[in-house]
Amino acid sequence: MSLPVLILGDANAAAVNQLKTFIRETQTVSAKFSQTLLDKNARNIQKSSGTLEFERPDKFRWIYQTPYEQSIVGDGKQVWFYDHDLNQVTVREFNIAIGSSPAALLAGNSTIEDNFELINLGVQDDIEWMEAIPKNKDSAFEFIQLGFSLNGDLQYMALRDNFGQTTYLTFSELIKNPVLPNRLFEFVPPDGADVISE
């Protein structure tokens, strides 16, 4: 899989509008994802998969099921990172952990352009691509790219971090505006878990 080719001057390139429509019309989302992590030399480091849910504003649940079980839950105030194998929980303040992250891009609100510069990249293989460049220079990411089908469904995400690693995500079984119980976005550390606050 490669990053989309930059296509300039394509009058049909409307991915930024797709993102804004997605944010405006989608209050909750449930989906499955598969993820591939490549190092700076484009070598495959790890493949993983899982599920995600989010509810605007600022609530999300990102569960890795393979190859290692990990839960990332944001309740709008804090973000909980739980490593099941280590039975270890790391807690961070929501705004610090989320600011210009992919979760902020997906579960954020209409003020998205406060945190990102949004650029249309054009259409490739019937996917409309856009790029979001964090305005905060301390962000962990150089850029985030999103790919939407022509009917507005989010299908792909690509992120490059400051170490030159690239993460590719493919979304499937994405459901817009499902009813999600509040308990999905509540995290209680398991008995005996080592809890670290940052």
Side-chain angles (χ1 to χ4, degrees), residues 47-65:
K47 288 182 179 285
S48 52
S49 63
T51 61
L52 71 95
E53 293 92 16
F54 69 74
E55 178 180 332
R56 295 190 213 289
D58 300 332
K59 293 181 180 179
F60 65 91
R61 179 182 182 86
W62 199 283
I63 307 297
Y64 288 91
Q65 296 164 334

Side-chain angles (χ1 to χ4, degrees), residues 98-115:
I98 292 305
S100 47
S101 74
L105 199 59
L106 292 179
N109 56 34
S110 58
T111 60
I112 188 170
E113 289 176 281
D114 291 348
N115 294 318

Side-chain angles (χ1 to χ4, degrees), residues 36-55:
T36 302
L37 176 63
L38 303 179
D39 68 14
K40 62 182 179 181
N41 298 313
R43 287 189 299 251
N44 188 333
I45 299 174
Q46 186 180 69
K47 288 182 179 285
S48 52
S49 63
T51 61
L52 71 95
E53 293 92 16
F54 69 74
E55 178 180 332

Side-chain angles (χ1 to χ4, degrees), residues 95-175:
N95 290 338
I96 294 172
I98 292 305
S100 47
S101 74
L105 199 59
L106 292 179
N109 56 34
S110 58
T111 60
I112 188 170
E113 289 176 281
D114 291 348
N115 294 318
F116 296 93
E117 179 185 356
L118 304 178
I119 303 166
N120 279 314
L121 296 182
V123 179
Q124 184 180 32
D125 298 328
D126 290 331
I127 298 295
E128 293 182 327
W129 286 94
M130 60 150 293
E131 184 167 87
I133 301 173
K135 291 182 177 179
N136 180 352
K137 297 308 176 190
D138 294 329
S139 170
F141 297 95
E142 290 181 19
F143 62 74
I144 303 167
Q145 293 180 341
L146 298 176
F148 292 87
S149 68
L150 298 181
N151 66 359
D153 288 336
L154 177 63
Q155 295 195 321
Y156 302 103
M157 180 184 281
L159 315 91
R160 180 166 296 156
D161 66 22
N162 292 329
F163 300 103
Q165 294 183 337
T166 304
T167 301
Y168 292 99
L169 291 151
T170 301
F171 301 104
S172 62
E173 298 180 36
L174 190 146
I175 302 170

